[in-house]
Amino acid sequence: DQEVLLAASAKTPGALRHASEHARCDHEIVLAVVSQDPESLEFASEDLRNNPDIVFAAARTKAWVLRYSPQLVADSSFMQRLVSRNGRALRYASAHLRADRAIVLAAVADYGLALECASAELRDDVEVVTTAVNASGRALQFASPRLRNNRDVVIAALMEAPTALRFASPQL
């Protein structure tokens, strides 16, 4: 019964584990459950663990559940949509997507510290790093040495978080 399963998942993480196989394969039930209990994604059917709508509902609040969806972490359109809502999801994206400028820009705009997961090339990109430090001045620690020595980037970081000064180049 969907109502019982929803009530259980509100109180007990992973309640889908105890559901019938039929419930674990039901799109509507799984979507409702993972929307309130993202951890239940682990117990959904394999097809639903790779369904973009189901995974988005779970991962928009708990990015780590992406480990149950290996196909989607390499899907650029899915990850673009997700990281714009939960920049922390960049950590779980494929290496290729962590080097995709548009995806990284979307991630760091939402969560500046996602810069840590970006490719080395993008951690040396002025626009990407400026976007990251505008969201979180502490993201300066993940910028390339060249940009930690860039006056404009450092000032942007300091405007957001004065404590970011400790990440600036000593030469400034």
Side-chain angles (χ1 to χ4, degrees):
D1 179 75
Q2 182 176 354
E3 191 174 325
V4 171
L5 188 54
L6 286 174
S9 67
K11 299 284 186 191
T12 308
L16 194 58
R17 164 190 338 210
H18 306 292
S20 69
E21 187 62 31
H22 173 75
R24 292 180 194 201
C25 294
D26 185 291
H27 185 279
E28 183 180 337
I29 291 173
V30 172
L31 181 60
V33 170
V34 302
S35 293
Q36 68 182 26
D37 174 24
E39 297 166 31
S40 280
L41 181 63
E42 175 182 6
F43 307 106
S45 70
E46 184 176 350
D47 283 348
L48 293 182
R49 284 194 311 267
N50 286 295
N51 177 286
D53 295 330
I54 300 283
V55 176
F56 184 84
R60 72 175 176 222
T61 58
K62 303 263 187 185
W64 64 266
V65 301
L66 288 170
R67 65 184 176 191
Y68 303 124
S69 305
Q71 294 170 9
L72 290 176
V73 298
D75 180 315
S76 62
S77 62
F78 173 79
M79 290 303 294
Q80 175 80 37
R81 184 174 137 219
L82 180 60
V83 300
S84 68
R85 295 278 185 113
N86 184 352
R88 288 173 171 89
L90 185 63
R91 174 173 307 282
Y92 302 95
S94 67
H96 174 74
L97 295 182
R98 290 193 311 267
D100 181 297
R101 192 169 191 277
I103 288 175
V104 172
L105 271 169
V108 300
D110 178 70
Y111 180 65
L113 296 175
L115 184 63
E116 176 182 16
C117 303
S119 68
E121 179 183 326
L122 292 177
R123 286 179 298 182
D124 191 48
D125 180 298
V126 173
E127 183 183 2
V128 170
V129 172
T130 301
T131 301
V133 300
N134 283 335
S136 173
R138 295 179 320 150
L140 184 61
Q141 68 188 300
F142 304 117
S144 69
R146 179 180 77 86
L147 294 182
R148 289 195 315 256
N149 196 37
N150 178 301
R151 183 174 302 280
D152 293 333
V153 170
V154 171
I155 288 171
L158 294 173
M159 295 296 289
E160 201 287 317
T163 59
L165 182 59
R166 65 185 166 164
F167 305 119
S169 171
Q171 288 123 4
L172 277 182

